[in-house]
Amino acid sequence: MRLSVIGCGYLGAVHAAAMASIGHEVVGIDVDERKIASLSKGDAPFFEPGLQEILSEGLASGRLRFSTDMADAAGAAVHFVGVGTPQQKDGYAADMTYVNAAVDALIPHLAAGDIVAGKSTVPVGTAATLAERVTPTGATLVWNPEFLREGWAVQDTVDPDRLVAGVPAGADGERAADILREVYHPSVAKGTPFIVTDLATAELVKVAANAFLATKISFINAMAEIAEVTGADVTTLADAIGHDARIGRRFLGAGIGFGGGCLPKDIRAFSARAEELGRGESVAFLREIDAINMRRRDRAVDLVVDAFGGSVYKKNITVLGAAFKPHSDDIRDSPALDVAVRLHGLGAWVTVTDPEAIENARRVHPQLNYVEDRDEALRAADAVIVVTEWDEYRRQLDPAHAATLATGRVVVDGRNCLDADAWRAAGWDYRGMGRP
Ligand code: UGA
């Protein structure tokens, strides 16, 4: 099928390349000329395992191309809209400027029978409003939320765990759902759940999923806070409750909390939208989820400061990690980098290392010292703090080896990802999050 993908950021670039990889003819469109130039050359603009390969293959096959000209979308059967919906600068609501601009620019190029499939995470009710603008062209607007995780984006797009299609009632909606089934043919053929619903439900599925994930993380971090005043161990607690299949162990990793370009802004936008709808109280708990999450960053900083009796002034602190999570170079709302910046603000000499995110981090926080080589970064450290659980730190860093590099013996495990016994046995003063 011929497809267009409007917006070539994280979601759009991966979606375009993934759709080409399953046999579609795809044009990716973005207003950012540099991004399009880089994608057209086959250079993935961000680190995402597997993206480089499908990008090169798609371009070489001739099925994938990129353009800054919206007119190139004309002729596609389905137009995916995957532009960003960041947090507004002066509030918690989502900034809809890019979605509105993308749809307005697309409308003159639509033909009767086209499908416009929204993928961006939007406040519930957006699709109904956009449909009023799209329907007069004879095209059908549907909502097809995206659930990809950074670091697994290619796999999640090619082989998702579910597909959701919000369509209007009636024959147009049924036809649109059939077309989406054709787009996602390989997944549909293997029996991946394909849920057809109305527009509002599809929009809500996305924000509800992210709200639930954020709640799970903050729940376990709340337990970590209780563990901290009782001497209990939150990781054992998570293992124990996680054995209950109704609870499950995944996303019960206590530590410095969630960040990234999705969960933080999505729960805030959800509260803002609920308030607009007169139902603020229904998701008032999300404010608490956010507050718990932010407190964990303070806690990590306090653990380091306490290790030096109340001041990190002129201490060499090595921060292992900058990305908001492993397998990503994304530093948007990264708790890891936030902790590093706060320690720097307290007068510490902060050295940051990360396998992928240094370049992005340096651009935003040039005041920190960045060192590519992990061992080099550890040299002469008075304290070490792990804030992104890359394998390079979690599995591949031998505590005895680290002890030969660092000057001090304090290690703060901001992700509860280190083997506490092994680090203690190697002479380290190990301090975890919600662990004795
Ligand atoms: C999240 C969702 O997981 C995706 O399903 C969704 O499609 C995506 O947002 C989106 O809306 O686009 P992502 O932001 O890539 O995906 O990252 P997650 O894997 O959800 O991790 C988010 C944050 O939570 C990270 O900072 C991670 O370190 C933290 N986290 C995760 C924890 O602190 N503890 C855990 O147990 C798990």
Side-chain angles (χ1 to χ4, degrees):
M1 294 175 78
R2 279 185 68 184
L3 311 175
S4 82
V5 179
I6 320 298
C8 290
Y10 220 102
L11 194 172
V14 173
H15 194 68
M19 290 301 105
S21 81
I22 60 170
H24 298 299
E25 194 184 311
V26 187
V27 57
I29 297 176
D30 200 292
V31 290
D32 184 337
E33 288 179 10
R34 272 183 39 203
K35 198 180 282 171
I36 291 300
S38 141
L39 285 164
S40 300
K41 277 193 293 180
D43 293 337
F46 44 83
F47 172 76
E48 183 61 46
L51 177 60
Q52 193 61 58
E53 290 80 353
I54 57 168
L55 189 58
S56 308
E57 281 164 24
L59 292 167
S61 72
R63 284 197 306 273
L64 179 62
R65 67 198 169 92
F66 294 93
S67 168
T68 51
D69 186 357
M70 191 61 95
D72 286 331
V78 183
H79 307 273
F80 289 101
V81 178
V83 294
T85 51
Q87 187 180 319
Q88 282 181 3
K89 292 195 172 58
D90 58 353
Y92 273 175
D95 178 351
M96 297 302 291
T97 316
Y98 307 107
V99 172
N100 289 326
V103 172
D104 285 341
L106 177 62
I107 282 174
H109 306 288
L110 292 175
D114 284 7
I115 306 294
V116 178
K119 283 197 107 33
S120 307
T121 303
V122 293
V124 56
T126 301
T129 311
L130 293 176
E132 286 170 18
R133 309 217 296 264
V134 167
T135 312
T137 65
T140 305
L141 184 109
V142 304
W143 217 259
N144 173 219
E146 179 58 61
F147 306 103
L148 67 79
R149 298 159 299 168
E150 290 187 20
W152 307 92
V154 173
Q155 185 191 314
D156 286 351
T157 308
V158 175
D159 186 16
D161 52 13
R162 82 286 209 187
L163 288 154
V164 174
V167 302
D172 282 350
E174 280 169 30
R175 177 178 166 273
D178 285 342
I179 291 175
L180 282 183
R181 278 194 191 89
E182 224 175 301
V183 170
Y184 297 114
H185 169 75
S187 299
V188 173
K190 71 172 266 208
T192 303
F194 187 93
I195 294 144
V196 179
T197 183
D198 56 87
L199 295 172
T201 306
E203 293 169 310
L204 269 177
V205 166
K206 169 67 195 205
V207 284
N210 276 1
F212 192 87
L213 293 171
T215 301
K216 224 178 155 184
I217 299 167
S218 278
F219 175 84
I220 203 64
N221 277 328
M223 296 306 107
E225 291 185 335
I226 304 296
E228 274 151 16
V229 291
T230 52
D233 186 333
V234 76
T235 56
T236 307
L237 182 152
D239 290 343
I241 64 172
H243 284 301
D244 183 332
R246 295 170 303 174
I247 296 173
R249 179 65 174 81
R250 294 175 75 188
F251 270 67
L252 287 183
I256 57 169
F258 59 82
C262 303
L263 299 193
K265 66 118 175 139
D266 287 353
I267 60 166
R268 291 171 187 164
F270 195 7
S271 327
R273 182 63 182 141
E275 275 159 29
E276 280 170 17
L277 294 166
R279 283 287 180 274
E281 71 272 27
S282 304
V283 292
F285 68 92
L286 290 178
R287 301 277 185 203
E288 210 52 54
I289 297 306
D290 200 1
I292 294 166
N293 192 50
M294 299 312 287
R295 285 205 295 271
R296 299 317 284 163
R297 302 176 184 191
D298 302 337
R299 171 68 185 172
V301 171
D302 288 349
L303 281 175
V304 181
V305 173
D306 289 351
F308 293 106
S311 171
V312 287
Y313 185 67
K314 289 190 176 178
K315 297 291 177 196
N316 281 308
I317 315 282
T318 295
V319 177
L320 299 180
F324 84 106
K325 69 172 191 180
H327 313 291
S328 172
D329 64 359
D330 198 341
I331 53 137
R332 285 177 294 170
D333 204 351
S334 169
L337 206 46
D338 193 20
V339 167
V341 168
R342 290 186 197 200
L343 287 166
H344 176 266
L346 293 173
W349 289 315
V350 176
T351 296
V352 178
T353 186
D354 188 286
E356 296 294 339
I358 288 183
E359 216 178 295
N360 286 340
R362 186 184 278 126
R363 209 172 304 129
V364 183
H365 295 294
Q367 73 275 33
L368 305 176
N369 179 36
Y370 296 95
V371 173
E372 295 230 355
D373 183 75
R374 182 199 67 192
D375 285 5
E376 201 50 50
L378 286 167
R379 214 172 285 285
D382 294 312
V384 177
I385 176 164
V386 181
V387 279
T388 314
E389 67 277 33
W390 287 97
D391 273 351
E392 281 83 343
Y393 317 137
R394 191 164 67 115
R395 291 182 200 279
Q396 295 158 17
L397 180 56
D398 173 16
H401 172 66
T404 65
L405 301 166
T407 315
R409 287 292 171 273
V410 172
V411 62
V412 173
D413 186 358
R415 293 293 186 178
N416 289 342
C417 62
L418 302 178
D419 179 342
D421 292 340
W423 280 78
R424 286 194 176 116
W428 289 86
D429 171 6
Y430 171 94
R431 294 163 189 234
M433 305 280 294
R435 307 179 81 181

